[in-house]
Amino acid sequence: MFDADDCTLSLDSLFFEKPTVHKKPFPLEGSQWQLDEPPPLKHIPATQDMQQEAESLSALYSSGSEVLRPVSEIVKFRSIFSEFPFFNYVQSKALDDVLYTNKNFVACAPTGSGKTVLFELAIIRLLMETQEPWRDVKAVYAPIKALCSQCYDSWSKKFGPLGLTCKELTGDTEIDDLFEIHDSHIILTTPEKWDSMSRKWKDSLLQLVRLFLIDEVHVVKDATRGATLEVVVSRMKAVNSYRTSQNPEAGVTMRLVAVSATIPNICDIADWLSNGSEPASYLSMDESHRPVKLRKVVLGFPCSGTQTEFKFDLSLNYKMANIIQTYSDQKPTLVFCSTRKGAQQSAAVLAKDTRFIMSFEHKQLMTYANSTLDSKLRLMMLGVGYHHAGVDLSDRKLVEEAFTLGDLPVLTTRTLAMGVNLPAHLVVIKSTMQYVAGSCEEYSEADILQMIGRAGRPQFDTSATAVIMTKVHTREKYMKLMNGIEIIESLHSHLVEHLNAEIVLQTISDVNMALDWIRSTFLYIRALKNPSHYLCLKTLNSLSAIDLITMDEDINIKPTAGRLMARYCVAFETMQLFSRVTGSETLPDLVDLMSKSKEFRDVQLRVNEKKTLNTLNRDKNRATIFPLEGKIKNSEMKVNLIQAQLNSISIQDFGLIQETAKIFRIGMRISKLSEFLTQQSKTGFCAALNSLILAKCFRAKLWENSPFVSKQMEKILTLSTAMVNAGLTSFSKIEQTNPRELELILNRHPPFGNQIRESVVHLPKYDINLEQLPRYSSATAEVVVKVTLQNQAQLLSRRTAPDHHYVSLIIGNSENHVVILHKLDSLLLKSGSWTKKIDVPKASKGNEISVNLISSEY
C-alpha cells in the first residue's frame, strides 16, 4: 500500500516499455475492436452474403446476453463507423433507442465507453427521417470548448462526404454568428456561446434545430457552468413547445440526447428531458462496462494551517516520483497541474529526481529535445516534458507527438483543453485546487471527471489508473466523486441571472410565464418544496432595484435598460457594479470599474507575468497609460493594464498576448454599457462623456489622443509606427500629405499613397455651431445647435466609415448635468445637417457649457 507520507525515493532510472504503435492508429473512444486496414466502405448496398457474415460475426462476438451489434446493420451510413466492425456493449445496448426511435434519450456510461458514437447514431437517425439533400437538417452539439474542436475535426471528416456542413462556434458573442450557421447542418458550440446566440429564441433560424446533443449533462450541478447548461436546455425545450404550438400539423419536433459519465439520479434527468408527454428513455451502465478498466486512487496529504496553497502544491512535486513508480506500470503518465508555472516546476523536479528513459528510445528523446525552441524543454531528454497554452505552438505539437507515439514517458500539463487529446495509462491530478482570478478554488467536478477520463488508451491498454492528490480533509469528498454516488442537484441560485435575461428580452413578460419557465428547469424536477414564487419575486425585485425593468403593483413587467444586459450578455453583478456610478467618474475610474467586472474573474495573475506588467505600469514615457499605485498584485490590476493595447504598446510575452486578446474582446462588450450609463437619469455629464469615449476607444482599439490614428485605416495596421515617426499623427495631416510621400514613408508602390489618402478624404467631417437666441430668462438660456456634415457630397459617392457609424452629441453644464445627449446616424448623411433648439438651465457654478461630438468608431 502506498503511504502518502512516505519520503520521495531518488531513483537513478525508471525504464518504460514502449507500446507497439499501429502505423494507422485508431483514436476511437471506447472501441474494443480495431482493424489494421479498415475497408473504405461508403454507401455499400446490403447483400445476402453481407447479412449472413454479420450474423455469423455477431454470434462469434456474443457472450451470454452481451450481444455486440454489427456496424453493417447501418447499411447506408456504414462509412461513419468504418474503423470498427462492431459496436461495443454500451453502444449496442443503446442502439435501438437511439437509432430506431425519436424518443429523447439519456445515457450514463463510464468515460471511454464510446458515448460520442451515440451522438453520431442520433444524427444518422435524423438523416434517416429527412429526405436528401437534407436542407432541413440542423443539429446542435454543446460540449466544453476542447471537445468542441475535437469533434469538429472528426465529424467534418465523417459527415462531410455525405454532404453535411459542420460549423464550430466558440469564444465571445458576435452579431453575425446566426448568419454564419444558416447553411450549416451540424453546429458545434459551447453552452455559454449557445446561450448568447439563442436568447432571442423566436428567431426563425433557431426554429430549424431538430436535434440537440448534450455532453456531460452532470455539469448542471457545476457552480461555474451548471446554470448556463440548465437554462440552455430549458430554452431549447421552450423553442420546441413554441414551434409545436404554432404549427401542430407539421409534426416537427426537436429531439434531446444527453450523455454523462456519472448520473446517480438518472431518472430525474430523464424527467427533465421529457418531451412533454413522457420522460426520456435512459440507459445506465456501471464501471464494469468500461472498455479500459479504470483503477481510481485518492491520496490525502497533510497540510498544516500555516501552509499556503502554493507551498502545498509545491510539496506535491516531491511525492510524484513515488506515485508514478507505483501506479504507471512503466507506461505513459499525464500529470495535470493547477498553473502553467506549476506544470514546468513539476517537470523540472521529476527530471531532476528521476530519469524516465525508455530502454531503447534514448536517441529519439535526444532528437525531440534538440528540436525544441524553448531551451527549458530540453529536459525531454530525461523523459519528462511539459505542455500548456503559453508554450510556442511548434513546441506544443512536438511534445504532443512525442507523448502520443509513446516516446515521452511523462508529460505535465496545465489545462484540460491542452490535454484532452492526449490519453495516458496513468493520469495524476496534482492538487484539486486551481488559481482563478488571483484566488484559489477547487476544480469543478466536471473538470475532475474529464481529467480522469484521459486515463486509458483503448488501442494499447486493458486497464488504467487515475490518481487524485488532495488534502487529507478533502479525501472523502473526492472518494465519493470517483465512485459517482453524489446526487446531481440544480444550483438554483445561479439561475437568477439567466431568468433576468429572459425577462428583459420579454421572452418572459409576467409572473405566470416566469413560473412556466421555472417548471421547465431541472430545479423544478429536484425541488422538494415549491421555491418558484420566492425565486421569481426575488429576481424581479433585484432587476427593478437598479432600473433594468419597471414593475407595477400587479407585477406587470416592462424591460428598460435591462435589454442592454441581455443584448451584450453582461453578468447581472456587472450591471450592479455599473449602477453604482456616481456621475463624476473619469476615464481611469471607468477603466478601473471595468476591470472589476465578473466577466474577468477567470483571469489569473501569473508569477512570470508580474515583471512585464510592472514594467508597463512604471514607464514614465507612456503618458496615456493611467498608472496604478504600487506593484501589480492581483488579476484586477492585470486586466486594468489592457490600456497598453489601446496605446499600441508591444507586449513580448506570448501567453500574455493571448490573454490580452481575450480581455480585449470582453472589454469591448462591457464598454457598450455606455448606453446603460447614458440612459440613467442620475449619471452625471462627466461619467456619461467618458463612457462614450471609452466605448469608442475599445472599438477603435486606440486611446482618443493616440498618435497612432493611421492604425485605424484598413491598409495601414502594422505600418502605423512609420507614420508616427514621420509626424503623421492626425487624419488632417495624412490628408494634406502628397501620395508619393506617403509611399516613401511606408515603403510601398503607387497607387498605395492615393488609396490611403482617399480613405481619409472619405471619412465624415463635421462642423458644430451653437447660437444663443436673444431672449432673456432668469432660469434658462435658449441655444440653437447645428451639426453639419461638411463633405456630404463626397460621402454620397463613397464612404470609408461603415454603415453603422454614428456620432453622439453630448452637452453638459458646469454643475456636471447632461443638457442634451443625441445620437446622429445615417439620417445626417441624407440631410447634410441637423438643427435643434434646446433650453439650457442656468447653473450656479458658472455659465460655461461643454460641447462634444463623439464618433462611434474613430
Side-chain angles (χ1 to χ4, degrees):
M1 178 68 69
F2 179 83
D3 186 356
D5 295 320
D6 283 350
C7 295
T8 303
L9 298 176
S10 179
L11 304 172
D12 290 328
S13 63
L14 286 178
F15 291 93
F16 279 71
E17 174 189 353
K18 184 181 180 184
T20 303
V21 181
H22 291 284
K23 290 181 180 178
K24 292 186 178 181
F26 301 96
L28 283 175
E29 183 186 356
S31 174
Q32 294 175 313
W33 318 99
Q34 286 87 29
L35 297 173
D36 286 336
E37 293 294 335
L41 299 175
K42 295 186 179 181
H43 298 281
I44 300 176
T47 65
Q48 188 173 359
D49 290 340
M50 284 173 61
Q51 290 170 352
Q52 289 173 351
E53 180 185 2
E55 290 170 4
S56 61
L57 282 170
S58 181
L60 177 64
Y61 289 112
S62 300
S63 175
S65 60
E66 298 191 4
V67 179
L68 302 184
R69 304 280 283 271
V71 173
S72 57
E73 186 174 325
I74 308 172
V75 179
K76 184 176 181 180
F77 303 99
R78 172 72 174 83
S79 60
I80 303 296
F81 310 109
S82 60
E83 297 96 337
F84 51 96
F86 278 79
F87 294 109
N88 66 25
Y89 182 63
V90 172
Q91 297 157 357
S92 297
K93 291 286 286 183
L95 194 68
D96 285 336
D97 279 327
V98 178
L99 188 64
Y100 297 118
T101 75
N102 287 320
K103 293 180 180 179
N104 293 346
F105 182 77
V106 189
C108 175
T111 304
S113 57
K115 296 188 291 295
T116 303
V117 168
L118 303 186
F119 290 147
E120 293 168 350
L121 288 170
I123 294 171
I124 289 173
R125 171 66 184 182
L126 181 57
L127 298 180
M128 290 164 58
E129 293 286 293
T130 315
Q131 291 185 346
E132 294 187 58
W134 297 317
R135 288 194 185 92
D136 297 329
V137 168
K138 204 167 288 293
V140 176
Y141 172 54
I144 60 173
K145 187 173 181 179
L147 293 177
C148 219
S149 301
Q150 184 183 352
C151 267
Y152 173 75
D153 293 336
S154 173
W155 287 359
S156 293
K157 293 173 185 174
K158 288 184 177 183
F159 292 104
L162 299 178
L164 299 185
T165 304
C166 297
K167 180 70 179 177
E168 181 183 5
L169 291 175
T170 55
D172 259 276
T173 307
E174 296 291 342
I175 296 172
D176 57 355
D177 281 341
L178 285 173
F179 297 101
E180 287 188 37
I181 65 174
H182 194 276
D183 297 322
S184 303
H185 300 96
I186 303 174
I187 301 151
L188 300 96
T189 184
T190 60
E192 292 76 16
K193 180 67 174 177
W194 192 248
D195 173 38
S196 69
M197 292 182 62
S198 61
R199 290 192 173 194
K200 294 183 179 179
W201 56 263
K202 292 183 180 179
D203 183 282
S204 59
L205 185 61
L206 296 178
Q207 307 291 327
L208 299 176
V209 176
R210 298 277 304 280
L211 177 63
F212 195 73
L213 306 170
I214 311 157
D215 210 341
E216 307 295 355
V217 70
H218 63 266
V219 166
V220 292
K221 68 175 180 179
D222 183 84
T224 305
R225 291 153 42 207
T228 302
L229 178 61
E230 183 170 350
V231 78
V232 163
V233 173
S234 298
R235 187 179 296 146
M236 297 312 289
K237 290 173 64 180
V239 170
N240 187 44
S241 298
Y242 177 79
R243 180 170 59 190
T244 304
S245 65
Q246 292 295 305
N247 192 5
E249 295 81 15
V252 177
T253 59
M254 183 191 305
R255 189 185 190 192
L256 303 174
V257 176
V259 302
S260 174
T262 168
I263 319 177
N265 49 326
I266 193 171
C267 293
D268 293 331
I269 298 291
D271 287 340
W272 177 39
L273 300 184
S274 71
N275 60 7
S277 59
E278 61 178 349
S281 301
Y282 66 86
L283 173 69
S284 183
M285 310 293 281
D286 59 29
E287 283 289 328
S288 65
H289 296 102
R290 195 180 198 271
V292 178
K293 305 305 176 189
L294 183 64
R295 180 187 184 189
K296 301 172 183 177
V297 181
V298 180
L299 300 176
F301 296 88
C303 178
S304 65
T306 58
Q307 193 175 24
T308 64
E309 289 294 343
F310 174 76
K311 288 185 177 178
F312 176 71
D313 187 88
L314 204 61
S315 71
L316 296 183
N317 288 335
Y318 300 93
K319 313 279 187 184
M320 284 194 300
N322 269 349
I323 292 173
I324 293 171
Q325 182 193 32
T326 304
Y327 297 108
S328 70
D329 297 328
Q330 299 180 338
K331 293 177 181 178
T333 298
L334 186 63
V335 180
F336 284 103
C337 304
S338 59
T339 64
R340 296 179 186 182
K341 188 166 185 178
Q344 293 182 217
Q345 287 175 335
S346 298
V349 170
L350 285 170
K352 184 178 179 181
D353 269 8
T354 312
R355 284 171 160 262
F356 297 93
I357 297 175
M358 297 183 182
S359 55
F360 57 89
E361 289 300 325
H362 186 63
K363 290 182 180 178
Q364 183 65 25
L365 284 173
M366 290 289 288
T367 303
Y368 284 122
N370 292 329
S371 302
T372 59
L373 299 177
D374 185 353
S375 59
K376 293 177 183 177
L377 271 172
R378 301 286 161 81
L379 51 74
M380 286 178 68
M381 67 178 67
L382 299 174
V384 185
Y386 60 82
H387 182 268
H388 56 68
V391 175
D392 185 84
L393 183 60
S394 62
D395 281 352
R396 277 214 309 267
K397 288 184 176 179
L398 191 90
V399 172
E400 288 173 14
E401 179 187 349
F403 189 75
T404 304
L405 294 176
D407 294 332
L408 184 66
V410 179
L411 178 62
T412 64
T413 185
R414 156 66 183 97
T415 58
L416 177 65
M418 289 294 103
V420 75
N421 287 320
L422 301 172
H425 177 79
L426 169 64
V427 164
V428 179
I429 301 175
K430 192 201 79 171
S431 178
T432 50
M433 302 294 289
Q434 62 175 331
Y435 291 90
V436 177
S439 61
C440 290
E441 62 180 49
E442 289 186 278
Y443 282 119
S444 68
E445 291 186 8
D447 285 344
I448 290 281
L449 291 171
Q450 277 294 327
M451 287 186 269
I452 290 170
R454 297 311 101 206
R457 305 163 303 158
Q459 62 268 54
F460 303 133
D461 297 328
T462 56
S463 66
T465 304
V467 177
I468 293 180
M469 302 173 71
T470 188
K471 296 174 185 174
V472 171
H473 69 270
T474 55
R475 182 175 180 272
E476 189 66 28
K477 171 186 174 180
Y478 289 100
M479 288 288 288
K480 288 181 179 178
L481 172 63
M482 290 282 242
N483 295 325
I485 58 176
E486 191 171 357
I487 296 295
I488 295 175
E489 298 286 0
S490 167
L491 293 172
H492 60 277
S493 59
H494 292 267
L495 287 175
V496 172
E497 199 167 290
H498 296 279
L499 181 54
N500 293 344
E502 303 292 335
I503 291 170
V504 298
L505 282 172
Q506 285 192 301
T507 307
I508 295 172
S509 56
D510 57 47
V511 171
N512 289 329
M513 289 183 70
L515 290 173
D516 286 341
W517 183 87
I518 290 171
R519 290 187 190 102
S520 73
T521 64
F522 186 54
L523 160 68
Y524 186 77
I525 301 296
R526 286 299 301 165
L528 299 176
K529 297 180 180 180
N530 181 17
S532 308
H533 183 66
Y534 167 78
L535 176 62
C536 185
L537 286 180
K538 181 181 177 181
T539 299
L540 295 174
N541 288 330
S542 65
L543 288 168
S544 179
I546 58 174
D547 299 324
L548 296 181
I549 62 169
T550 58
M551 188 168 61
D552 61 21
E553 293 180 358
D554 296 325
I555 320 184
N556 292 309
I557 306 159
K558 183 179 179 182
T560 53
R563 291 179 185 274
L564 300 172
M565 180 182 78
R567 185 190 307 160
Y568 300 128
C569 300
V570 177
F572 178 64
E573 283 126 312
T574 301
M575 298 298 290
Q576 286 179 310
L577 192 68
F578 276 79
S579 71
R580 293 194 282 267
V581 166
T582 62
S584 59
E585 280 77 6
T586 61
L587 208 52
D589 291 336
L590 291 178
V591 173
D592 183 60
L593 187 70
M594 180 186 289
S595 68
K596 293 179 171 65
S597 300
K598 182 186 177 183
E599 285 77 0
F600 294 119
R601 288 200 185 153
D602 64 341
V603 174
Q604 301 177 29
L605 176 62
R606 300 180 179 88
V607 176
N608 64 326
E609 297 171 340
K610 290 184 178 180
K611 183 177 179 181
T612 303
L613 292 170
N614 279 314
T615 301
L616 283 173
N617 191 40
R618 287 196 300 264
D619 196 330
K620 295 178 181 178
N621 296 322
R622 291 163 181 164
T624 50
I625 288 278
F626 303 123
L628 306 174
E629 290 185 13
K631 292 185 176 180
I632 306 301
K633 54 183 179 287
N634 56 47
S635 57
E636 285 179 13
M637 298 178 82
K638 173 180 173 177
V639 172
N640 196 306
L641 286 176
I642 187 68
Q643 305 169 47
Q645 182 150 339
L646 293 172
N647 199 38
S648 301
I649 295 174
S650 176
I651 298 174
Q652 303 302 322
D653 184 279
F654 177 73
L656 202 53
I657 291 171
Q658 283 188 314
E659 199 153 32
T660 298
K662 173 187 173 184
I663 292 171
F664 202 85
R665 285 197 310 272
I666 297 172
M668 280 189 69
R669 187 152 49 85
I670 297 173
S671 72
K672 293 174 182 176
L673 289 184
S674 60
E675 296 178 51
F676 172 62
L677 294 180
T678 54
Q679 286 178 17
Q680 302 299 295
S681 57
K682 66 178 182 180
T683 301
F685 167 70
C686 183
L689 172 64
N690 286 313
S691 70
L692 289 170
I693 292 173
L694 185 62
K696 174 186 69 171
C697 291
F698 266 92
R699 289 192 189 99
K701 298 185 179 179
L702 285 174
W703 283 129
E704 63 160 357
N705 58 350
S706 171
F708 292 87
V709 289
S710 59
K711 197 173 184 179
Q712 300 173 85
M713 310 310 296
E714 187 178 346
K715 294 179 181 293
I716 298 291
L717 297 175
T718 57
L719 303 173
S720 58
T721 302
M723 299 283 271
V724 173
N725 292 339
L728 301 180
T729 56
S730 69
F731 285 131
S732 59
K733 288 180 180 179
I734 296 172
E735 185 176 355
Q736 293 161 15
T737 304
N738 186 284
R740 303 293 81 77
E741 188 179 343
L742 289 174
E743 288 155 4
L744 283 172
I745 292 168
L746 300 173
N747 194 24
R748 291 292 185 271
H749 298 293
F752 191 82
N754 298 79
Q755 293 169 349
I756 295 302
R757 190 175 175 279
E758 283 296 303
S759 293
V760 175
V761 166
H762 288 93
L763 283 170
K765 297 177 180 64
Y766 302 92
D767 177 73
I768 185 164
N769 181 270
L770 277 80
E771 180 186 357
Q772 183 174 346
L773 298 179
R775 187 172 300 171
Y776 178 77
S777 169
S778 60
T780 61
E782 285 188 307
V783 176
V784 176
V785 183
K786 183 176 183 181
V787 179
T788 306
L789 186 60
Q790 292 179 308
N791 56 343
Q792 181 197 17
Q794 289 174 302
L795 299 185
L796 288 173
S797 60
R798 178 188 166 189
R799 294 192 303 279
T800 301
D803 291 340
H804 58 262
H805 176 263
Y806 63 90
V807 288
S808 297
L809 171 69
I810 181 168
I811 300 177
N813 65 14
S814 57
E815 292 183 334
N816 197 32
H817 294 152
V818 176
V819 175
I820 184 175
L821 173 61
H822 193 82
K823 181 177 172 181
L824 300 169
D825 52 21
S826 57
L827 291 176
L828 189 59
L829 179 66
K830 296 176 182 177
S831 61
S833 65
W834 173 88
T835 304
K836 186 175 179 67
K837 185 173 73 173
I838 59 173
D839 291 329
V840 182
K842 289 190 176 181
S844 60
K845 295 182 180 179
N847 294 327
E848 296 82 11
I849 58 173
S850 175
V851 184
N852 299 265
L853 200 64
I854 310 292
S855 164
S856 64
E857 306 287 329
Y858 294 97

